[in-house]
Amino acid sequence: MLANTDTRYGLIARLFHWVIALLILTDLALGLIGENTPRTADTAEFLKTLYSVHKTIGVSVLFLAVLRILWALTQPRPVPVHPARRAETLLAEVIHWALYGAIIVMPLSGWVLHSAESGFAPILWPFGQNLPFVVKSETLAQTAGAVHGLSALVIYLTVGLHIAGALKHAVFERDGVLARMLQGRDAGTPGQRATTPHAVPPLVAIVLWAGVIGFAVFGPKPPMPEAEAAQMPTSAPVATAAVPTSDLPAWTVQEGSLGITVMQMGAGVEGRFATWSAAIAYDPGAGTGEVSVTIDTTSLTLGSVTAQAQGPEFFNTATYASATFAGPITRTGAGPDHQVAGMLTLVGQTVPVTLDFTLDLAGDTATMAGQATLDRRDFGMGAGYADESTVGYSVTVDVSLTATRAP
Ligand code: HEM
Ligand code: HEM
């Protein structure tokens, strides 16, 4: 029998129940394993596969859950087997409704998290990766991650109680409650509903989920890493550097930004250094000059992988808290009309790097924008990531700034 009756779950309801139960339990296990696996070069491939499988199972749950709920709406819900035990029946029903909420909130929050963050383990299907209307945003990813993490706690509790209840009925009471869901047997007396009003269990579940989402969205946030807090004003203050020992006119940086783009799992992840300083000497007449830049590497933020980027395998900021770039400026005349053929010292390695830039002069104000491309292998960065499948070799550096000629 496909449909439910007053005393029995039909085949379709049972199939939905067990398929979704299996997928949810698998995804909980994968999520837990993922959360407890250290993020290193050795585990990167494993984690990518694990999260891809986790996400693919999760989005499948979401679609099955929608179909399940639509189906349940057309069906009678079997009566409680022990309607006289009011508290127990109420608890069981609240948990059933909470679990219906879980099969929507859990995968949806995961999918919003996936869509909002950059650099990802893809969902293994051909139907696109991102939810429409979800923008790439670090803040949104954090909030969705908080909903996802808190919901996981609610699921541990509710699924735990639910399974314990099912086992209690099967092992101690042997009253046919589990057999009703497993084999589709009849249990309970037709027409004997619980005396609690129908609306109470779903309302309690709705309040529970609203509370979880509300707390994750509006509740206390984990303290922002220092680097990110420093980045808050959009045009980050740039410390003034010592003027180079040159006779050429000096220029003082008024504002600017220093960003990098790294390819992570095939997607560009953008980051920036909040604190850096540049000492510039430049003679507009001759088109020559020199520049010296000091970068506070601890001020780097790089999406959701900031900690990893600052860690020992990459920028190793604990040991190398600053990087420097210095070299002569020449006017090239073509395309990007200027160039710095400089030396970049990063994590203790000094490598020649060319920065091509365009320069616009308006009176005593100069605006420049330029780009350089580095190869992380030149600096021994990410040695454990031997190929480009997880972290690309080339890193693009984007600089733009406005400077005024010192009087
Ligand atoms: C059946 C639905 C799902 C369940 C039960 C589930 C469960 C979990 C659990 C238990 C964790 C570990 C969380 C923690 O301990 O803080 C986790 C993490 C994660 N899940 Fe899911 N998940 C589901 C669906 C999804 C979906 C559909 C996606 C994306 C499309 C997703 C993406 C993620 C990501 C990216 C993490 C890592 C979060 C982080 O490290 O901040 N999940 N999930
Ligand atoms: C080994 C694991 C599980 C066991 C033994 C189990 C057992 C049961 C049983 C016996 C019922 C019927 C209760 C009754 O007739 O009053 C039931 C209902 C239900 N279960 Fe599970 N379950 C398990 C896992 C899950 C999981 C992971 C979910 C999460 C989505 C879930 C969601 C539900 C829901 C929503 C109902 C109510 C169905 C309805 O009345 O429409 N179950 N379960």
Side-chain angles (χ1 to χ4, degrees):
M1 275 232 256
L2 296 183
N4 292 359
T5 69
D6 241 14
T7 51
R8 179 165 51 198
Y9 284 105
L11 182 63
I12 296 186
R14 284 184 287 128
L15 269 179
F16 272 131
H17 176 271
W18 290 112
V19 171
I20 293 179
L22 186 73
L23 296 179
I24 290 260
L25 294 176
T26 310
D27 242 15
L28 281 176
L30 292 177
L32 271 177
I33 296 171
E35 206 58 29
N36 291 297
T37 305
R39 269 107 175 114
T40 67
D42 294 339
T43 59
E45 269 305 307
F46 166 74
L47 279 174
K48 181 181 168 187
T49 311
L50 180 139
Y51 276 113
S52 278
V53 173
H54 176 84
K55 292 171 181 182
T56 310
I57 292 179
V59 291
S60 313
V61 167
L62 183 60
F63 286 103
L64 286 173
V66 172
L67 294 178
R68 177 179 183 182
I69 289 169
L70 289 176
W71 174 250
L73 288 174
T74 69
Q75 298 292 301
R77 299 194 71 210
V79 292
V81 178
H82 308 285
R85 303 184 197 165
R86 291 181 54 190
E88 185 183 320
T89 305
L90 178 65
L91 178 66
E93 298 214 329
V94 165
I95 289 178
H96 291 168
W97 284 99
L99 289 172
Y100 272 121
I103 59 180
I104 297 289
V105 175
M106 199 71 214
L108 197 57
S109 58
W111 204 354
V112 173
L113 164 63
H114 172 73
S115 305
E117 75 183 349
S118 21
F120 56 86
I123 301 168
L124 306 173
W125 72 1
F127 309 115
Q129 296 290 325
N130 296 327
L131 281 167
F133 312 117
V134 177
V135 291
K136 294 276 173 217
S137 145
E138 177 73 1
T139 321
L140 180 61
Q142 250 175 23
T143 304
V147 174
H148 204 61
L150 199 56
S151 302
L153 300 182
V154 174
I155 294 207
Y156 299 144
L157 182 75
T158 46
V159 169
L161 286 171
H162 182 69
I163 294 178
L167 290 181
K168 180 194 88 150
H169 286 288
V171 177
F172 298 112
E173 307 200 17
R174 307 190 178 182
D175 54 9
V177 168
L178 182 58
R180 183 158 86 161
M181 189 47 99
L182 262 182
Q183 288 124 326
R185 301 229 178 95
D186 286 287
T189 316
Q192 276 206 8
R193 296 264 159 207
T195 46
T196 325
H198 285 328
V200 172
L203 270 181
V204 175
I206 289 172
V207 169
L208 173 79
W209 282 112
V212 167
I213 296 169
F215 186 80
V217 174
F218 302 109
K221 297 272 176 300
M224 218 183 251
E226 246 173 67
E228 226 167 286
Q231 188 196 317
M232 285 314 280
T234 43
S235 68
V238 179
T240 21
V243 178
T245 51
S246 160
D247 301 336
L248 303 174
W251 296 73
T252 311
V253 177
Q254 301 300 329
E255 57 165 345
S257 77
L258 178 59
I260 57 171
T261 306
V262 179
M263 294 304 283
Q264 192 198 0
M265 292 177 187
V269 187
E270 290 181 13
R272 48 183 263 137
F273 294 93
T275 312
W276 51 276
S277 61
I280 305 168
Y282 178 71
D283 177 356
T288 56
E290 58 189 73
V291 63
S292 158
V293 185
T294 305
I295 302 152
D296 175 358
T297 55
T298 66
S299 74
L300 171 67
T301 44
L302 189 66
S304 53
V305 289
T306 298
Q308 241 179 307
Q310 289 204 16
E313 289 177 301
F314 292 93
F315 283 84
N316 194 3
T317 58
T319 309
Y320 303 101
S322 68
T324 57
F325 176 64
I329 302 173
T330 45
R331 186 154 56 205
T332 53
D337 47 20
H338 283 72
Q339 187 175 77
V340 181
M343 299 300 279
L344 175 64
T345 303
L346 186 62
V347 291
Q349 306 293 319
T350 301
V351 172
V353 166
T354 304
L355 171 75
D356 291 308
F357 65 98
T358 50
L359 183 69
D360 289 314
L361 279 168
D364 283 343
T365 303
T367 308
M368 70 77 77
Q371 202 173 61
T373 305
L374 321 176
D375 188 319
R376 65 172 166 87
R377 292 169 298 179
D378 293 344
F379 300 90
M381 280 188 168
Y385 298 83
D387 61 22
E388 296 199 89
S389 63
T390 316
V391 186
Y393 294 142
S394 71
V395 175
T396 316
V397 181
D398 284 285
V399 195
S400 63
L401 60 81
T402 309
T404 49
R405 192 173 175 151

